[in-house]
Amino acid sequence: MQAKKRYLLVSLGACLLLVAYLWGLVAQRPGLRLHRQHWPEWTHPLSPYLEDGEQEQDSPLLHHQHTSPRERREIRNNIYKSRRCRMDTCFDFRRCQRGFKVYVYPLPKGEKVSESYQKILTAVEDSRFHTTDVNQACLFVLGIDTLDRDQLSGQYVHNVKAKIQSLPTWNDGRNHLIFNLYSGTWPDYTEELGFDIGQAILAKASIDMDNFRPHFDVSIPLFSKDHSQKGGDKGYLTLNNVPPSRKYLLVFKGKRYLTGIGSETRNALYHIHNGEDIILLTTCKHGKDWEKHKDTRCDRENEEYSKFDYQELLHNSSFCLVPRGRRLGSFRFLEALQAACIPVLLSNGWELPFSEIIDWSKAAIIGDERLLLQVPSITRSVDHDKILALRQQTQFLWDAYFSSVAKIVLTTLEIIQDRINSHISRNKLMWNSLPGGLYVLPQFSTDAAVFPFYYSSLGKSPSQEFTAVIQAVTPLQSQLQPLVKLIIAVAKSKFCAQIIVLWNCDKPLPSKNKWPSTAVPITVIEGERKTMSSRFFPHDVILTDAVLSLDEDSVLSTNEVDFAFFVWHSFPDRIVGYPARSHYWDSSKSRWGYTSKWTNEYSMVLTGAAFYHRYYHYLYTHYLPPSLLTMVDRMSNCEDILMNFLVSAVTKLPPIKVTQKKQYKETMMQQGSKTSRWADPDHFAQRQTCMNSFSGWFGFMPLLHSQMRLDPVLFKDQVSILRKKYRDIERL
């Protein structure tokens, strides 16, 4: 009996050792890897229908039914001969020592480019990165149109290889950026471009994970030729209802391919279509020979297809199915984002747009083409709060990175710049939360806690002090001048850390005994170029989060300063101040108008007496193009309007007006000297011009109207003055 037990134990041990050995061999197989796409963490784990052996052989190239494995290998090797390229091996950082500048090659003589590629080139040339000096360039963009590399397309450019090889600075593509939307052709639609990109960075739509070179290439979205150049259309999430009230759960309306690549998933959609809350409509009525290939479902599906409007489905569904087409990406992806319809992606192997910086799990459901039948249960399992959060993120991503060609191009350039300057790059929080990475310049700081946009999410708050910055343009001749009175009133504030006087007067600096004696330090800075934009220069001496911007002839009491700072502390990302103005659309002239009429509505708070965060000094100086700053300096006007445009574009919110102060403008006019802007008859006309020039550069009108005004508690109430904290405000 004992011998039998020992024999059984030895046999069992041997079996266990054999199983462990075989398991180790399987785990070490180089071809075995998990699929990189996954369902969001908040869903239950899914059991695949396929056996393990079938799964491990699956890849996006499996769908290339018309090519052999050897042919697919050759295609891939020809496209990406530099497959191991990374920034440290295929990029010359020495060219970027003088800054990140981008050079666009001139258009070859006699050649034209497509409308979409012209938009890309325009976006680069309008950006702050553009240079016309080839010797200053860190990055090069081709003047040759490489967007459409489908040989059957009318926009296919021939002889690209010879043309780029003739470029004097090509250098096997090093430090070059190539844009592409379409590659390959019928029937396989491989990623063949028809020329060797060498060591160039590829910004490509519908790029395959197997061909994507991480932290080197950039995946971009597929966009149509009608996509906006600048600004772009707004998203469609107008109400944050909980629960989100949309008619349909899941929708799709598009082509069904009867044969060839991309046909598998779309051919199977009818299995989960229920005609009630899941509407998945396909048509095989496309192409010249569709009737030759039609199946028994075509006529019935074509009839049902025509009953529904595509836009109506998009805007009335919580989820939008985004299956692969002939290529991995489709226009439907951006259409779903704009419509606040949560994308359900079924495109195995697709490297999602800007995947290096965007956390798509917060805005989309990333599915698996092989698990189509589980899509209904997955979408039904998402609770209402999660649906609302996903929809809100779709709107943020659409507006921040995808609503225009300019934003797509700028995001691509910023990603590359972050790689080059990896020690001063943005983190995931900056890219995936308001206001988005394009408005957060890491050269200011890499610490998110320093920016006004993240105080709430990080549990931080701005400092309890402010720096007053006063623009001085008239000589200091008397202690009774408004400038002296203003300095004394501001210095009495318990929150004032220092006063900076920007001496933009043509007269020499006054001696120290001319300045009033105050409890806070006064620093006088004389600018080399006495310009209007210099008032927003990010001086190193400004250490507080809050800046109180003042004109020299502003009339403010200490109480007004304290109260405005108290309000700003609750809204640190916005402009908070006293003098308000508004804009309007003049339909008779088809242009924007500027008004200083006294109404209950406003859209600007002038920076002659306003608080804002010091980061906006940096953004004004380094984000806005030289053309706008030059315009402001040439006219000596509109710098306050431009700052309002910038802050509203960043925050998507209006400024905040505090306490009624109707006599602000009248006071300015009474004491306005010949040098005062208020006395200039052209002042108002220039500001009208500025409104339209600024909106033209932004691509939209960022200013928003507001009727909110914040007053102190008991403001103008019929109670004892002793009960009021800010007692002097009502007397003004």
Side-chain angles (χ1 to χ4, degrees), residues 463-510:
S463 58
Q464 296 289 337
E465 295 180 315
F466 68 84
T467 298
V469 179
I470 305 174
Q471 170 95 331
V473 295
T474 56
L476 184 59
Q477 298 172 337
S478 167
Q479 293 294 309
L480 298 178
Q481 283 183 225
L483 174 59
V484 176
K485 294 179 180 179
L486 180 62
I487 290 174
I488 293 173
V490 172
K492 289 181 180 178
S493 171
K494 61 182 179 180
F495 304 113
C496 183
Q498 64 173 329
I499 297 175
I500 296 174
V501 178
L502 302 178
W503 191 255
N504 283 346
C505 178
D506 294 332
K507 301 294 182 180
L509 275 173

Side-chain angles (χ1 to χ4, degrees), residues 92-106 129-141 168-170 175-176:
D92 186 357
F93 289 88
R94 294 172 297 178
R95 295 201 67 108
C96 308
Q97 290 176 353
R98 287 172 289 189
F100 183 68
K101 293 296 180 182
V102 184
Y103 176 80
V104 177
Y105 286 102
F129 304 121
H130 180 244
T131 181
T132 56
D133 185 352
V134 68
N135 296 315
Q136 296 285 331
C138 165
L139 192 67
F140 298 85
V141 174
T169 53
W170 173 244
N175 289 54
H176 282 67

Side-chain angles (χ1 to χ4, degrees), residues 401-465:
Y401 308 119
F402 299 110
S403 63
S404 69
V405 176
K407 289 178 181 177
I408 293 171
V409 171
L410 285 174
T411 304
T412 302
L413 295 179
E414 293 282 10
I415 289 172
I416 297 172
Q417 183 184 215
D418 274 7
R419 294 172 182 169
I420 296 169
N421 304 317
S422 57
H423 59 293
I424 47 172
S425 58
R426 303 162 182 83
N427 58 37
K428 282 293 183 73
L429 172 65
M430 296 173 178
W431 283 113
N432 290 277
S433 57
L434 288 167
L438 298 186
Y439 287 124
V440 178
L441 304 186
Q443 292 79 12
F444 176 75
S445 177
T446 56
D447 182 6
V450 174
F451 295 87
F453 322 114
Y454 311 115
Y455 287 143
S456 177
S457 60
L458 296 177
K460 304 288 185 180
S461 60
S463 58
Q464 296 289 337
E465 295 180 315

Side-chain angles (χ1 to χ4, degrees), residues 172-385:
D172 194 31
R174 204 165 255 245
N175 289 54
H176 282 67
L177 175 62
I178 294 175
F179 288 93
N180 175 256
L181 294 181
Y182 307 98
S183 61
T185 190
W186 189 89
D188 300 306
Y189 295 93
T190 65
E191 297 192 18
E192 173 66 61
L193 298 179
F195 65 95
D196 180 16
I197 65 173
Q199 299 179 39
I201 297 172
L202 186 61
K204 188 181 187 318
S206 307
I207 193 166
D208 192 311
M209 286 179 178
D210 286 344
N211 295 328
F212 182 75
R213 295 170 293 182
H215 302 288
F216 189 75
D217 292 330
V218 180
S219 177
I220 63 174
L222 183 65
F223 59 87
S224 71
K225 63 182 179 62
D226 299 321
H227 206 55
S228 298
Q229 171 67 54
K230 282 186 173 182
D233 297 327
K234 293 183 178 180
Y236 289 94
L237 182 59
T238 55
L239 296 175
N240 292 334
N241 294 338
V242 180
S245 54
R246 285 199 164 182
K247 183 177 180 180
Y248 303 110
L249 174 70
L250 177 69
V251 299
F252 171 81
K253 185 178 182 182
K255 297 176 182 177
R256 176 164 71 89
Y257 305 112
L258 298 173
T259 60
I261 188 170
S263 61
E264 294 88 347
T265 300
R266 296 195 180 195
N267 271 336
L269 294 183
Y270 76 98
H271 286 296
I272 58 175
H273 166 78
N274 63 18
E276 297 175 359
D277 63 344
I278 298 180
I279 307 295
L280 306 179
L281 307 170
T282 58
T283 178
C284 48
K285 193 176 181 180
H286 56 87
K288 297 178 181 178
D289 302 324
W290 72 273
E291 289 187 288
K292 293 181 180 179
H293 304 286
K294 63 184 290 187
D295 56 22
T296 56
R297 291 170 24 216
C298 276
D299 291 334
R300 184 177 70 254
E301 288 181 349
N302 290 343
E303 181 181 354
E304 191 173 14
Y305 186 87
S306 60
K307 294 180 181 178
F308 290 85
D309 178 73
Y310 177 58
Q311 293 297 324
E312 192 268 340
L313 288 174
L314 273 181
H315 299 150
N316 288 279
S317 180
S318 297
F319 298 91
C320 283
L321 198 66
V322 184
R324 63 162 297 142
R326 292 301 194 190
R327 298 177 177 89
L328 292 172
S330 69
F331 298 136
R332 188 167 285 98
F333 180 64
L334 290 188
E335 291 168 350
L337 283 183
Q338 183 184 8
C341 189
I342 303 163
V344 179
L345 306 177
L346 293 179
S347 185
N348 291 5
W350 182 23
E351 186 72 32
L352 298 182
F354 304 139
S355 55
E356 185 175 336
I357 60 167
I358 294 178
D359 183 358
W360 282 109
S361 67
K362 294 181 178 179
I365 294 181
I366 305 171
D368 190 320
E369 294 178 66
R370 300 165 299 184
L371 304 178
L372 173 66
L373 298 182
Q374 294 194 13
V375 168
S377 60
I378 289 294
T379 52
R380 293 188 195 282
S381 70
V382 185
D383 61 55
H384 289 147
D385 290 343

Side-chain angles (χ1 to χ4, degrees), residues 548-612:
L548 172 59
S549 177
L550 296 164
D551 288 340
E552 64 178 3
D553 47 7
S554 299
V555 180
L556 287 177
S557 69
T558 306
N559 272 185
E560 287 178 304
V561 171
D562 286 348
F563 177 66
F565 177 70
F566 177 77
V567 173
W568 175 86
H569 212 265
S570 298
F571 304 94
D573 58 338
R574 296 159 80 173
I575 297 177
V576 175
Y578 287 93
R581 299 291 183 266
S582 188
H583 76 287
Y584 64 95
W585 178 253
D586 188 342
S587 56
S588 63
K589 298 180 180 178
S590 296
R591 55 177 289 175
W592 293 105
Y594 171 89
T595 179
S596 58
K597 289 183 179 179
W598 192 258
T599 65
N600 289 329
E601 197 169 63
Y602 65 93
S603 58
M604 291 172 277
V605 167
L606 305 187
T607 54
F611 281 96
Y612 51 78

